[in-house]
Amino acid sequence: MSGVSDSVADIYEPFDPQSRRVAVRPTTAGLHAVKLGDPWLYDGSISSADPADLPAGSVAVIFDGRRVVGVGLWDPSSPICVKVLHSGGPLNVDRQLWIDRLEVAKARRGALIDDPSTTAWRWVHGENDSLPGLVLDRYDDTLVIKLYSDAWYPHLHDVVSAAQQVMPSTTVVLRCARRVTPPVGAPTDGDVLLGSMATGMVSYLERGLTMTADVRRGNKTGTFLDQRDNRRLVAAACDGARVLDVFTATGGFALAAAAGGARSVHLVDISQPALDVAQANIDRNRNVGAVRRCVVTAQQGDAFQVMESLAASGERYDVVVVDPPSFAQNEKSIPQALSSYRRLARAGLRLTTDGGLLVQASCSSRITVDDLAREMRTASREVGRSFVEVRRTGHAVDHPIGFARGAYLKALYAAVAASV
């Protein structure tokens, strides 16, 4: 489906999930996890499932003997076979459930929603808002729904309908994670479910600054909304500063730095289209005096190589922001990920002036902020640049954490001392 739907009734609705139920009996460990409220029930934690051949999105009823202890969505092709919606007894999985949970999520973000200077935020943060595998992001009047599980397809019609009732949008766009396989005839990644869009570009405000995102083809749902608070903190440290923004993506940190009074910002990214978007985001805010006065330069290339080359040539910056993509996609990749963070920290410390600020972020859930700090300390010894931790940050209010493994974002702010 690549066209435009005129009403919620047109949205793909393959079967009634309530009519298809899987009786799931977990192992002892799986049962313990469900009772503790874990939203993930893995295939290895299931003793039996009957009938196991029902399609994704069927209702999974979790039993302890003859007693119902939880309800979720069946996802047989995923290692996480059940996305647990509720523990503690039965639950009706229907449109009213989505309405109730969307209302709770909306109320949780009330102050952000009511702020007219910021019009883009995350409405539903998956498992952390009791809707595992589902993300909803708002960009002004455009709603982007991202599916991280095949199990949500049979519920898509009701989810959109519920969202329109709780907080109507003029346009609704579907995004799908790489692991999601749309059923035949179903909408696919980038399709417009409601309303119309000539392109995927939408405009929105972040603390009064105008930005754009490609909600149909851009990263995530169009941009990285989770770094909003860190961008504010960086802006506050940039008055009169020379700034280096590495892995700039759509230029959020660069624009925040310019608005915060930076005299210059140098952007680095491997993607020239990303740099073009970042430059455009800065240019559309040239009506702001501080942004207009900021000198902006950009460099396309591998971030590791560019940083090391800049350091070798003697370049130094008052504020260095390093915000890489996730390096640890699985357990096996953790050692290499830690090595990559240490390499970035070495270059970042060399590039930061005496008394300057180095901000190193990680969006890898398998890497803790203590891991990040340890690698920075090791890098500090290797390059002979000491630092003092200024602060550690985590998730913003619209990216809440509802269970231990839900935390992924962290940033470490380091005041770099003089060379040893």
Side-chain angles (χ1 to χ4, degrees):
M1 179 187 294
S2 59
V4 175
S5 295
D6 294 323
S7 69
V8 176
D10 294 330
I11 297 173
Y12 180 78
E13 191 177 15
F15 66 88
D16 175 14
Q18 280 288 83
S19 67
R20 306 194 183 193
R21 293 170 174 261
V22 182
V24 176
R25 300 186 184 280
T27 63
T28 300
L31 182 62
H32 181 67
V34 170
K35 289 182 176 180
L36 288 177
D38 196 315
W40 295 339
L41 184 57
Y42 288 87
D43 52 3
S45 296
I46 295 176
S47 294
S48 67
D50 183 39
D53 59 350
L54 287 185
S58 300
V59 174
V61 183
I62 306 167
F63 287 90
D64 177 8
R66 300 183 65 179
R67 184 167 61 97
V68 176
V69 295
V71 176
L73 300 182
W74 182 240
D75 191 0
S77 65
S78 168
I80 305 172
C81 281
V82 180
K83 275 58 175 178
V84 182
L85 295 167
H86 172 74
S87 63
L91 177 76
N92 287 328
V93 179
D94 55 17
R95 180 174 176 275
Q96 188 59 48
L97 175 63
W98 313 138
I99 291 173
D100 293 344
R101 299 214 167 164
L102 291 177
E103 290 280 15
V104 171
K106 178 184 176 183
R108 196 177 206 174
R109 295 153 173 83
L112 186 58
I113 295 171
D114 292 339
D115 179 3
S117 71
T118 296
T119 60
W121 32 267
R122 176 152 294 182
W123 181 0
V124 169
H125 189 42
E127 289 79 351
N128 305 283
D129 281 305
S130 300
L131 293 169
L134 181 70
V135 163
L136 271 65
D137 284 348
R138 286 271 304 210
Y139 294 86
D140 201 356
D141 286 333
T142 296
L143 175 66
V144 183
I145 297 176
K146 185 152 188 179
L147 309 184
Y148 286 87
S149 165
D150 294 345
W152 281 103
Y153 264 104
H155 305 273
L156 188 56
H157 173 279
D158 283 348
V159 167
V160 175
S161 175
Q164 289 297 90
Q165 177 172 326
V166 175
M167 193 161 31
S169 304
T170 56
T171 308
V172 179
V173 175
L174 179 69
R175 300 299 306 272
C176 301
R178 285 191 295 270
R179 67 178 68 93
V180 170
T181 304
V184 175
T188 60
D189 184 56
D191 279 351
V192 179
L193 302 181
L194 289 175
S196 61
M197 300 186 78
T199 69
M201 303 304 295
V202 296
S203 295
Y204 63 95
L205 295 177
E206 180 171 304
R207 294 193 169 92
L209 298 171
T210 301
M211 301 188 71
T212 62
D214 184 350
V215 297
R216 298 185 70 183
R217 295 288 177 260
N219 285 320
K220 304 297 182 179
T221 64
T223 192
F224 299 93
L225 298 175
D226 52 2
Q227 289 285 24
R228 183 191 312 104
D229 287 357
N230 281 321
R231 289 191 280 266
R232 174 180 57 83
L233 292 172
V234 166
C238 286
D239 189 24
R242 293 185 71 226
V243 178
L244 176 65
D245 179 18
V246 187
F247 301 99
T248 192
T250 56
F253 278 109
L255 176 57
R263 59 190 172 99
S264 67
V265 179
H266 187 56
L267 287 62
V268 176
D269 202 283
I270 198 168
S271 166
Q272 186 59 50
L275 289 171
D276 293 341
V277 171
Q279 183 68 62
N281 276 328
I282 294 171
D283 289 345
R284 62 177 46 92
N285 288 278
R286 291 294 187 180
N287 60 306
V288 179
V291 179
R292 184 167 58 250
R293 291 187 293 271
C294 183
V295 177
V296 178
T297 53
Q299 186 172 355
Q300 187 271 329
D302 176 83
F304 294 90
Q305 296 174 8
V306 170
M307 289 180 73
E308 289 164 356
S309 176
L310 289 171
S313 65
E315 291 289 344
R316 297 293 182 270
Y317 301 88
D318 303 302
V319 177
V320 175
V321 179
V322 184
D323 181 26
S326 177
F327 290 143
Q329 300 295 336
N330 50 53
E331 292 294 325
K332 291 182 179 179
S333 61
I334 289 177
Q336 182 58 49
L338 294 173
S339 176
S340 295
Y341 287 119
R342 186 166 63 252
R343 183 180 172 188
L344 290 174
R346 284 198 301 267
L349 289 164
R350 292 177 63 198
L351 285 163
T352 307
T353 59
D354 294 348
L357 179 69
L358 170 61
V359 180
Q360 184 154 347
S362 167
C363 61
S364 300
S365 62
R366 294 174 178 84
I367 303 298
T368 69
V369 70
D370 288 335
D371 292 333
L372 203 61
R374 184 183 65 250
E375 296 308 320
M376 189 175 286
R377 288 193 298 270
T378 301
S380 170
R381 293 190 293 270
E382 292 172 346
V383 300
R385 301 295 310 278
S386 61
F387 67 90
V388 175
E389 276 194 38
V390 177
R391 71 170 72 222
R392 297 178 176 190
T393 63
H395 290 252
V397 66
D398 58 333
H399 289 70
I401 302 306
F403 71 116
R405 285 165 293 173
Y408 70 94
L409 184 66
K410 72 283 302 179
L412 192 152
Y413 290 65
V416 180
S419 299
V420 177

